[in-house]
């Protein structure tokens, strides 16, 4: 649903907050359930959505996106590494470039 919602709307903000809460609550799940949750989120496009979140103009939204990214990294850094390697041939809209730009602000 996040891919179809325009930024700068209350729905976008609510969905970003919801995603952040899901990732935060996942820390309290048992390992197997947490793994299944993150695998499902990644299959549904978690990294593409996170890239969009990190490109938002609102600092609080970008911070929530970084929180989602950190939750993913704490669980399974190899899934992010694989995604970044798949994006290696793309020039402009890579998650790595977006993360670097976000951290440089």
């Amino acid at each position: 649903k996040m891919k179809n919602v325009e930024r700068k709307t209350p729905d976008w903000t609510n969905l970003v907050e919801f995603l952040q809460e899901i990732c935060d609550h996942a820390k309290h799940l048992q390992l197997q359930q947490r793994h299944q949750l993150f695998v499902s989120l990644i299959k549904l496009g978690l990294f593409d959505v996170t890239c969009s979140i990190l490109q938002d103009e609102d600092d609080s939204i970008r911070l929530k996106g970084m929180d989602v990214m950190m939750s993913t990294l704490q669980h399974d850094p190899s899934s992010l590494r694989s995604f970044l390697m798949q994006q290696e041939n793309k020039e402009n809209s890579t998650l790595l470039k977006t993360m670097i730009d976000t951290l440089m602000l």
Side-chain angles (χ1 to χ4, degrees), residues 4-73:
N4 300 328
V5 175
E6 288 186 41
R7 293 184 199 175
K8 299 182 184 181
T9 63
D11 285 344
W12 171 256
T13 304
N14 290 337
L15 287 169
V16 170
E17 291 171 352
F18 180 68
L19 181 60
Q20 180 191 22
E21 287 181 32
I22 287 175
C23 292
D24 186 50
H25 288 301
K27 296 173 188 174
H28 304 290
L29 294 174
Q30 292 181 2
L31 184 62
Q32 183 66 24
Q33 286 82 16
R34 185 172 53 229
H35 178 71
Q36 289 174 339
L37 175 66
F38 278 106
V39 166
S40 296
L41 289 173
I42 291 167
K43 284 181 182 178
L44 292 171
L46 175 67
F47 294 131
D48 291 323
V49 169
T50 305
C51 189
S52 296
I53 293 170
L54 294 177
Q55 293 173 349
D56 199 283
E57 294 174 4
D58 186 353
D59 291 340
S60 65
I61 297 293
R62 283 197 312 269
L63 184 61
K64 290 173 182 162
M66 287 304 288
D67 191 35
V68 169
M69 187 61 61
M70 290 304 297
S71 294
T72 306
L73 283 172

